[in-house]
Amino acid sequence: MNDERLVKQLTPKSEDYSKWYLELIRKAELADYAPMKGMMVIRPYGYAVWENMQRLLDGRFKRSGHVNAYFPLFIPESYLQKEAEHVKGFAPEVAWVTQGGNEPLEERLAVRPTSEAIIGPTYAKWVKSYRDLPLLINQWANVVRWEKVTRPFLRTTEFLWQEGHTVHETYEDAQAETLRILDLYKDFAETDLAVPVLAGQKTEREKFAGALMTYAIEGLMSDGKALQMGTSHNLGQHFAKVFNIRFEDRAQVLQFAWQTSWGASTRLVGAVVMAHGDDSGLVFPPHVAPVQVVIVPISVGNWRESVLPLAAKAREDLARAGVRVELDAREEFTPGWKFSEYEMRGVPVRMEIGPRDVKQGQAVLVRRDTGQKEPAPLAALVEVVPRVLEEIQRNLFERALAFRRENTREVEDFAAFKTVMEEKRGFIEGAWCGDEACEDKVKDETMATIRVLPLEQPADVSRRSCVCCGRPAKMLAVFGRAY
Ligand SMILES: [Zn+2]
């Protein structure tokens, strides 16, 4: 078999980004298409990435006092319709169940597009007093949104996610929770996914249907397009009022509760692919890589006797030290073929070990991010490998951060705005008057939207003028074309 076969088959990223992405998802066996349009099968290798993300996020939720529960997949139509903005926002995307077995249902059931409308009435039963608050619950679940244009992981009709739903005594408590989760998402994206993100508020137009305020983290993918990677909503009392979530406060007065909801989904797998992948394939940050180290014995001479036992011991030592490691001793594939294969699959470290290395008591570590080779004493693998993995993790973040810096531009007027969006994409930092007419015009003429309004606004923003209309600005906005 030709060693270069797999790499050659992958369309280079620079040639056709979208084709590269779709090919890579399938060749690396992250996902496969399903018979139904817009749905996907997450294959074991892709699911392992999601499991790592779940574990890391879930740990963060638990450490900040949240617990998991599970709510039903179906929502009665009358429940979904109670919050006017919510139903208006989700109506075009809802899948309906109209029949149970052979019997038509008296009331249609929505397949949850999100669970506010089923969790709200449940919370109304549970919340009676300020002593019941805060209620900090998360669920890991699937949701369905009938999407017209889909792409594996980034936008699919059914996807997996977590949705947190919390209840608080006061507006301030709910707002603090909303921002605490925003910060948690940012830390997760940057520390574990190695994707730098901008955290900020969404405009009225871009906010969640039914929320008082929506906040999001936004990453910049390597084609210069933005990707929303997690959202956190202050729901105010909107849902509490329609579902009657009331509690007796500390002065024994009945009050409507304050709520938040927040979510992150399997879209994050797509984010990792697009933020770090290159022409040779995936590049996984070690924290979420399904396999962190692959050991490839160099199969020459009497390698089965000389090399393989040491490779097996290295595998055992590393596994015991908590490293996700595999040993590929298959004889039907050449080492060269394996090198290309694991490069394409994004394994952070390849460990080569041949007869000559055995004599020297070492292995050679090859980094997926830089291609750098480094010999490591076999006796010290459990110290060296975790260090190298952390270096890779950090380097991927630094690289993505440098890319974002290079691709974040300030513009002063609309002509410059259009040129940048047309020729370079990336993020544009521009002052905005706050008028939705300008937001619409920008979208119509450049396909860019306001991704976030940064939490920290420059003090002099009122002296600047709107990038669209030139009138005095109210705030700084970050614009981009988004997935
Ligand atoms: Zn304007």
Side-chain angles (χ1 to χ4, degrees), residues 185-187 189-190 195-199 217-219 229 397 404:
Y185 282 151
K186 181 173 163 50
D187 183 60
E190 300 194 332
V195 179
V197 292
L198 299 176
I217 55 165
E218 296 271 335
M229 292 171 60
F397 176 76
R404 190 184 73 187

Side-chain angles (χ1 to χ4, degrees), residues 431-435 437-439 466-472:
W432 178 44
C433 63
D435 191 338
C438 283
E439 199 178 0
C466 174
V467 284
C468 184
C469 66
R471 286 178 295 173

Side-chain angles (χ1 to χ4, degrees), residues 125-326:
K125 292 191 286 182
W126 295 351
V127 173
K128 296 293 172 207
S129 151
Y130 71 89
R131 292 180 202 88
D132 300 323
L133 303 177
L135 190 58
L136 306 173
I137 293 180
N138 174 64
Q139 85 165 340
W140 290 96
N142 58 340
V143 288
V144 167
R145 296 178 186 174
W146 218 259
E147 298 281 1
K148 290 197 179 71
V149 182
T150 57
R151 207 186 299 238
F153 293 112
L154 301 178
R155 198 174 288 279
T156 49
T157 299
E158 179 190 14
F159 58 88
L160 305 182
W161 77 344
Q162 59 70 214
E163 46 180 321
H165 295 269
T166 70
V167 191
H168 305 267
E169 280 183 74
T170 64
Y171 166 84
E172 287 75 19
D173 289 353
Q175 180 64 6
E177 167 79 0
T178 307
L179 295 178
R180 183 157 50 239
I181 295 296
L182 184 72
D183 197 48
L184 182 155
Y185 282 151
K186 181 173 163 50
D187 183 60
F188 166 70
E190 300 194 332
T191 307
D192 293 325
L193 309 184
V195 179
V197 292
L198 299 176
Q201 195 179 343
K202 289 283 180 183
T203 62
E204 279 298 301
R205 158 176 304 282
E206 301 280 334
K207 78 177 188 189
F208 178 75
L212 201 58
M213 286 173 298
T214 287
Y215 297 84
I217 55 165
E218 296 271 335
L220 189 64
M221 302 297 104
S222 55
D223 63 344
K225 280 170 85 173
L227 186 75
Q228 180 175 294
M229 292 171 60
T231 50
S232 185
H233 318 290
N234 183 337
L235 300 177
Q237 294 175 308
H238 295 174
F239 291 89
K241 283 184 175 161
V242 299
F243 292 116
N244 204 28
I245 308 172
R246 289 195 292 177
F247 68 98
E248 205 176 68
D249 72 9
R250 287 159 202 267
Q252 287 163 342
V253 179
L254 215 49
Q255 303 280 4
F256 284 111
W258 298 85
Q259 288 181 273
T260 81
S261 70
W262 27 275
S265 74
T266 34
R267 161 174 265 213
L268 294 175
V269 178
V272 165
V273 173
M274 293 197 297
H276 303 302
D278 62 20
D279 284 351
S280 304
L282 301 170
V283 181
F284 277 125
H287 289 196
V288 294
V291 179
Q292 294 171 313
V293 178
V294 62
I295 305 174
V296 180
I298 307 301
S299 46
V300 292
N302 66 340
W303 73 282
R304 287 212 150 262
E305 291 73 41
S306 58
V307 176
L308 194 54
L310 290 178
K313 179 165 188 311
R315 195 203 67 80
E316 261 181 55
D317 290 349
L318 288 173
R320 210 173 295 127
V323 176
R324 293 188 289 276
V325 56
E326 275 183 10

Side-chain angles (χ1 to χ4, degrees), residues 215-471:
Y215 297 84
I217 55 165
E218 296 271 335
L220 189 64
M221 302 297 104
S222 55
D223 63 344
K225 280 170 85 173
L227 186 75
Q228 180 175 294
M229 292 171 60
T231 50
S232 185
H233 318 290
N234 183 337
L235 300 177
Q237 294 175 308
H238 295 174
F239 291 89
K241 283 184 175 161
V242 299
F243 292 116
N244 204 28
I245 308 172
R246 289 195 292 177
F247 68 98
E248 205 176 68
D249 72 9
R250 287 159 202 267
Q252 287 163 342
V253 179
L254 215 49
Q255 303 280 4
F256 284 111
W258 298 85
Q259 288 181 273
T260 81
S261 70
W262 27 275
S265 74
T266 34
R267 161 174 265 213
L268 294 175
V269 178
V272 165
V273 173
M274 293 197 297
H276 303 302
D278 62 20
D279 284 351
S280 304
L282 301 170
V283 181
F284 277 125
H287 289 196
V288 294
V291 179
Q292 294 171 313
V293 178
V294 62
I295 305 174
V296 180
I298 307 301
S299 46
V300 292
N302 66 340
W303 73 282
R304 287 212 150 262
E305 291 73 41
S306 58
V307 176
L308 194 54
L310 290 178
K313 179 165 188 311
R315 195 203 67 80
E316 261 181 55
D317 290 349
L318 288 173
R320 210 173 295 127
V323 176
R324 293 188 289 276
V325 56
E326 275 183 10
L327 166 61
D328 187 347
R330 292 177 299 174
E331 287 193 83
E332 61 271 37
F333 297 100
T334 65
W337 184 88
K338 291 176 188 173
F339 295 172
S340 315
E341 175 75 6
Y342 293 110
E343 244 170 45
M344 195 261 300
R345 286 171 167 263
V347 176
V349 171
R350 174 173 88 230
M351 192 172 121
E352 303 173 10
I353 174 164
R356 241 177 308 162
D357 299 314
V358 167
K359 274 181 205 140
Q360 291 166 17
Q362 65 169 37
V364 176
L365 307 180
V366 186
R367 286 173 56 155
R368 176 62 180 89
D369 61 334
T370 58
Q372 250 169 354
K373 293 189 174 197
E374 173 186 341
L378 288 172
L381 285 179
V382 296
E383 288 94 51
V384 177
V385 169
R387 172 180 58 73
V388 172
L389 289 172
E390 275 312 296
E391 276 172 25
I392 294 171
Q393 184 78 30
R394 218 171 18 249
N395 179 49
L396 288 178
F397 176 76
E398 291 300 332
R399 204 156 81 173
L401 187 62
F403 176 83
R404 190 184 73 187
R405 284 207 189 102
E406 282 160 30
N407 288 282
T408 301
R409 298 173 180 88
E410 282 184 46
V411 303
E412 303 292 329
D413 61 51
F414 201 41
F417 189 110
K418 280 182 170 170
T419 310
V420 167
M421 245 337 126
E422 203 52 53
E423 292 172 4
K424 303 203 165 79
R425 291 192 190 162
F427 284 135
I428 289 181
E429 285 180 350
W432 178 44
C433 63
D435 191 338
E436 281 194 5
C438 283
E439 199 178 0
D440 288 344
K441 190 179 171 199
V442 167
K443 189 173 183 179
D444 291 345
E445 296 187 24
T446 71
M447 297 192 303
T449 46
I450 295 179
R451 303 317 306 159
V452 285
L453 306 167
L455 295 182
E456 282 170 28
Q457 290 281 330
D460 69 340
V461 75
S462 60
R463 287 203 294 276
R464 297 171 63 173
S465 44
C466 174
V467 284
C468 184
C469 66
R471 286 178 295 173

